[in-house]
Amino acid sequence: EAQVTQNPRYLITVTGKKLTVTCSQNMNHEYMSWYRQDPGLGLRQIYYSMNVEVTDKGDVPEGYKVSRKEKRNFPLILESPSPNQTSLYFCASKLRPGESNYGYTFGSGTRLTVV
Amino acid sequence: LAKTTQPISMDSYEGQEVNITCSHNNIATNDYITWYQQFPSQGPRFIIQGYKTKVTNEVASLFIPADRKSSTLSLPRVSLSDTAVYYCLVGDMGYQKVTFGTGTKLQVIP
């Protein structure tokens, strides 16, 4: 089944403890992106990647890192999480920037709580 | 990326047709209009995409006037399961940097 898989689905951590949220897609998509969703603020883009080794900042990149060493994986790294990063996170992928192809495929989300 | 404006929320009774309008006054020539649906605690799901006039698929229709400064998502005969947030996105096919905005929360009432 074509899908975007995020892990973990739920995570509670403490301030300052480094964590990684994994994202993997099995559709050979070139474009991948991370979003956070907060009440009243909608979905905001954190980082995106046009292809392997190509990443760029979205609207809210502060406090996050990403890497794209292989096409299928796009992990989100929080080096020193803070409570204001408590949020619902989504990973998404798309075939290539110029393709319509029914838009983005989203993962099921990761609910992160930083205490 | 063109800025979009949608109503924050809408209510509708089951079985009615629902029209959600999105305003995008500064849409560019190369921009497409795409709508997504999101249920609570799930990722958004692609509904429909169009460039001009009318597009229809098995779940919705998208109406785009000639000036393309707005678009209307039409959901025929909604059911309770259509209760969700609907997002309108406007951008070229590059879509490098994508802003979803806050969307329209549709509540379907029995």
Side-chain angles (χ1 to χ4, degrees), chain B residues 31-99:
Chain B
D31 286 347
Y32 281 72
I33 300 153
T34 310
W35 285 81
Y36 287 81
Q37 175 193 56
Q38 186 182 24
F39 298 113
S41 297
Q42 294 186 25
R45 181 177 71 101
F46 172 92
I47 300 176
I48 198 166
Q49 183 178 70
Y51 183 80
K52 62 180 178 181
T53 63
K54 177 183 174 182
V55 179
T56 297
N57 62 22
E58 62 276 8
V59 298
S61 295
L62 177 60
F63 298 92
I64 306 168
D67 66 6
R68 304 203 322 126
K69 293 185 182 300
S70 66
S71 59
T72 299
L73 174 72
S74 181
L75 305 172
R77 296 180 298 282
V78 294
S79 64
L80 295 176
S81 62
D82 292 316
T83 294
V85 178
Y86 293 83
Y87 296 93
C88 164
L89 269 70
V90 174
D92 63 24
M93 299 310 293
Y95 274 35
Q96 290 93 326
K97 193 170 179 177
V98 180
T99 301

Side-chain angles (χ1 to χ4, degrees), chain A residues 10-40:
Chain A
Y10 301 91
L11 179 60
I12 300 175
T13 190
V14 296
T15 299
K17 185 178 181 181
K18 181 179 177 180
L19 66 91
T20 299
V21 183
T22 63
C23 174
S24 179
Q25 49 92 6
N26 60 1
M27 298 165 282
N28 202 35
H29 284 176
E30 292 183 1
Y31 181 93
M32 298 185 75
S33 182
W34 276 102
Y35 296 86
R36 62 176 289 174
Q37 186 168 36
D38 303 288

